[in-house]
Amino acid sequence: MAEKIVEELRPFFDPKAVAIIGATNKKGKVGNVIFENFKSNKERGIFKGNIYPVNPKLDEIDGYKVYHSVEELPDDTDLAVISIPAPFVPDTMRQIAKKGIKAVIIITGGFGELGEEGKRLEREIYEIAKAHGIRIIGPNCVGVYVPDTGVDTVFLPEEKMDRPKSGPIAFVSQSGAFAAAMLDWAAGAGIGIGKMVSYGNKLDVDDADLMDYFIHDDEIKVVTFYIEGVKDGRKFMESAKRITKVKPVIALKSGRTEYGAKAASSHTGSLAGADAIYDAVFKQTGIIRAEDFEHMFDLAKAFAELVHKLPKGDRIGIITDGGGAGVMASDAVAKFGLKMAELSEETKKFLKERFPPHAVVGNPTDVVGDTDAERYRLALEAFTKDPNVDAIVVIVLFQVPLLEEEKAIEIIADYQKKSDKPIVAVAMGGRKTDRYARMLEERGVPVYPTPERGVRALAGLVRYAQYLKKVKGD
């Protein structure tokens, strides 16, 4: 089964040759933006495959030969991207089937989400695909983005939407607009996305297929989903149980309310269903439910860096140079069902002997506002060796006058690297703080702008560690 799903879905992420059906030389049109994406990535040396634009009315686009029909395409074509009006798609699918292409992304909208005629077209397309072993992503989607291989079917041009760098996070979205907005946001936030899939009406390839594929994808450490509804609950649950034993899955499920469910139905034709059922399914399968997109990527960022050293328990140690921030973090520990660690006597003695009298030794340990980087080193040395501490939140207010910022960053990153305990950092502030936070993240320390978000992300690691312990004990 593993080899089958990997072989079936591979052309979506790393094709030998892509046919862009509906490619055009009219700037800004969907078929032109997709063609330009591939062309640009090929010129940069990222996309290694061949590009075959298809349009019966053109002979050439930007130096590329245009094929007048699917039938004329070279035999190495293993991915077709369709952006022609919905009524023409079934006939095109027949040509694709005859040509032997096995992977198709249908960008076009105007299918099941618009009513009975659209559903009839979808059924026709699905029957052709099933009869010929073709896998389909879409319709009504923005398709696939893979920065490492240069696959980019997102039809929003780069001058209007930034693309994120490569990273260990897979992002799967039912909504194309949400997917595009999140890619743009991730690029600005410095979050790396290894693969993005927008599957729209998910006529064929669905959440379960993608989970089974990502199990075997060594480049992906954590999988995130934006879901409006699941069509095949049993298939979803079986795949979810398989992948969560191997890597974490985070889901943002919308349509929680009556109004949201109605909106989901008109958006992608989804049956959102009772929200309580989704809660139960996620809990049973080990999927971590995110409250909102901010929470989803906060969790993803923590898992991407720290999934190899999950906390052994739920006892949290807090180091801060601001008393108020320490209090907020302590409140968050209680709010998210974690425990404040009881520091060992050795830890307290170690710190009292080395800290000035006005520093506060306890949990939180407050290195106070006249701290230098060395106090952070001492606190981290003690906390990482304390058997009563399972995970650490380090709050750094970079604004304090005597703190050597870059030295503090190196110290925190060093303990992240050499300790088996996960460390997340909290840095509150403006433009300068953002720069230091980015430097910390580049060194493998997830950083959050508030104590609550940092602790909430850590709580996700704790819950996943508890789930793994449970399933491995079953």
Side-chain angles (χ1 to χ4, degrees):
M1 180 183 171
E3 289 180 1
K4 184 171 183 287
I5 194 72
V6 171
E7 187 58 29
E8 285 179 350
L9 300 196
R10 182 200 55 75
F12 290 113
F13 305 116
D14 188 15
K16 294 173 189 162
V18 58
I20 301 161
I21 300 168
T24 172
N25 53 8
K26 293 178 183 171
K27 299 294 179 190
K29 297 272 284 185
V30 172
N32 180 259
V33 175
I34 295 170
F35 169 75
E36 289 288 341
N37 290 346
F38 278 100
K39 175 174 167 279
S40 170
N41 284 336
K42 190 166 181 70
E43 287 169 355
R44 293 169 184 160
I46 305 169
F47 183 67
K48 309 287 189 192
N50 293 317
I51 303 170
Y52 304 136
V54 179
N55 188 323
K57 298 177 181 173
L58 296 174
D59 296 321
E60 178 264 332
I61 304 176
D62 289 348
Y64 280 77
K65 174 185 175 181
V66 176
Y67 296 84
H68 290 169
S69 71
V70 171
E71 190 181 11
E72 294 176 11
L73 285 168
D75 290 339
D76 63 343
T77 311
D78 55 352
L79 173 64
V81 182
I82 297 177
S83 63
I84 57 177
F88 300 107
V89 176
D91 275 347
T92 302
M93 281 297 296
R94 288 188 190 90
Q95 294 168 35
I96 284 170
K98 194 174 176 185
K99 190 68 190 174
I101 300 168
K102 300 296 185 187
V104 178
I105 300 173
I106 304 177
I107 304 292
T108 310
F111 288 96
E113 75 277 13
L114 289 190
E116 284 309 312
E117 175 57 18
K119 287 177 183 173
R120 187 193 65 74
L121 287 174
E122 281 191 348
R123 282 195 297 273
E124 196 174 343
I125 293 166
Y126 185 72
E127 285 166 10
I128 297 165
K130 276 294 161 195
H132 295 86
I134 299 169
R135 302 306 310 261
I136 298 172
I137 288 179
N140 187 26
C141 69
V142 297
V144 176
Y145 169 72
V146 187
D148 287 336
T149 62
V151 173
D152 184 353
T153 67
V154 180
F155 55 83
L156 290 88
E158 284 196 48
E159 58 266 27
K160 295 200 174 188
M161 191 204 101
D162 288 332
R163 267 64 169 172
K165 64 182 180 181
S166 179
I169 300 170
F171 174 46
V172 180
S173 174
Q174 198 157 357
S175 164
F178 184 73
M182 287 306 98
L183 287 182
D184 199 10
W185 173 84
I191 292 175
I193 302 291
K195 289 183 177 68
M196 184 285 294
V197 180
S198 149
Y199 50 41
N201 295 3
K202 52 181 171 183
L203 179 62
D204 175 37
V205 173
D206 61 11
D207 324 80
D209 294 319
L210 291 166
M211 282 191 278
D212 280 334
Y213 177 85
F214 286 130
I215 288 173
H216 308 285
D217 188 334
D218 294 335
E219 305 301 317
I220 297 301
K221 292 182 183 175
V222 52
V223 181
T224 59
F225 280 95
Y226 167 72
I227 298 173
E228 292 182 356
V230 171
K231 287 178 179 172
D232 188 338
R234 184 176 296 276
K235 182 183 172 192
F236 179 89
M237 287 185 70
E238 288 171 356
S239 296
K241 284 179 182 174
R242 281 194 288 272
I243 191 172
T244 53
K245 288 177 184 170
V246 181
K247 51 187 77 174
V249 175
I250 302 159
L252 173 58
K253 163 72 176 62
S254 64
R256 300 184 79 151
T257 64
E258 181 186 346
Y259 295 143
K262 190 176 177 183
S265 177
S266 62
H267 180 209
T268 53
S270 289
L271 294 171
D275 196 64
I277 294 174
Y278 283 96
D279 260 341
V281 167
F282 292 158
K283 192 173 180 184
Q284 193 177 338
T285 57
I287 291 177
I288 302 158
R289 183 166 192 170
E291 295 301 316
D292 49 44
F293 91 86
E294 190 175 75
H295 186 203
M296 181 166 73
F297 281 102
D298 280 353
L299 287 166
K301 194 161 67 170
F303 277 111
E305 292 294 345
L306 303 172
V307 72
H308 63 288
K309 54 174 181 178
L310 294 170
K312 293 181 174 60
D314 59 359
R315 301 167 301 176
I316 309 302
I318 298 170
I319 301 166
T320 183
D321 60 352
V327 174
M328 286 189 272
S330 303
D331 275 342
V333 166
K335 179 177 178 180
F336 298 116
L338 305 174
K339 295 177 186 147
M340 291 291 283
E342 290 286 341
L343 299 184
S344 70
E345 291 305 316
E346 289 78 7
T347 293
K348 292 178 191 170
K349 182 170 181 290
F350 177 88
L351 293 176
K352 278 179 182 171
E353 287 176 353
R354 290 163 178 81
F355 275 2
H358 59 285
V360 180
V361 173
N363 193 19
T365 280
D366 188 351
V367 295
V368 297
D370 65 348
T371 191
D372 56 10
E374 176 62 10
R375 284 185 211 165
Y376 275 102
R377 190 190 69 74
L378 292 169
L380 281 165
E381 174 70 14
F383 275 52
T384 52
K385 287 185 175 171
D386 191 325
N388 295 339
V389 177
D390 296 313
I392 301 165
V393 177
V394 182
I395 302 168
V396 191
L397 303 178
F398 283 105
Q399 298 88 346
V400 299
L402 300 179
L403 182 67
E404 314 94 316
E405 298 91 347
E406 295 192 13
K407 189 174 175 186
I409 288 167
E410 289 303 326
I411 287 169
I412 297 167
D414 180 48
Y415 277 94
Q416 178 79 292
K417 192 173 177 184
K418 67 187 183 186
S419 170
D420 63 352
K421 296 176 184 178
I423 299 171
V424 302
V426 172
M428 294 187 284
R431 183 172 48 83
K432 290 177 182 172
T433 292
D434 286 346
R435 186 166 73 85
Y436 295 129
R438 193 65 65 92
M439 290 168 69
L440 257 176
E441 294 203 319
E442 286 169 357
R443 289 162 174 77
V445 183
V447 184
Y448 300 92
T450 67
E452 178 156 314
R453 283 175 61 181
V455 173
R456 186 168 66 162
L458 207 47
L461 297 184
V462 170
R463 300 288 170 251
Y464 184 59
Q466 290 170 336
Y467 171 77
L468 286 182
K469 199 178 290 184
K470 182 183 164 195
V471 293
K472 285 178 181 175
D474 283 346

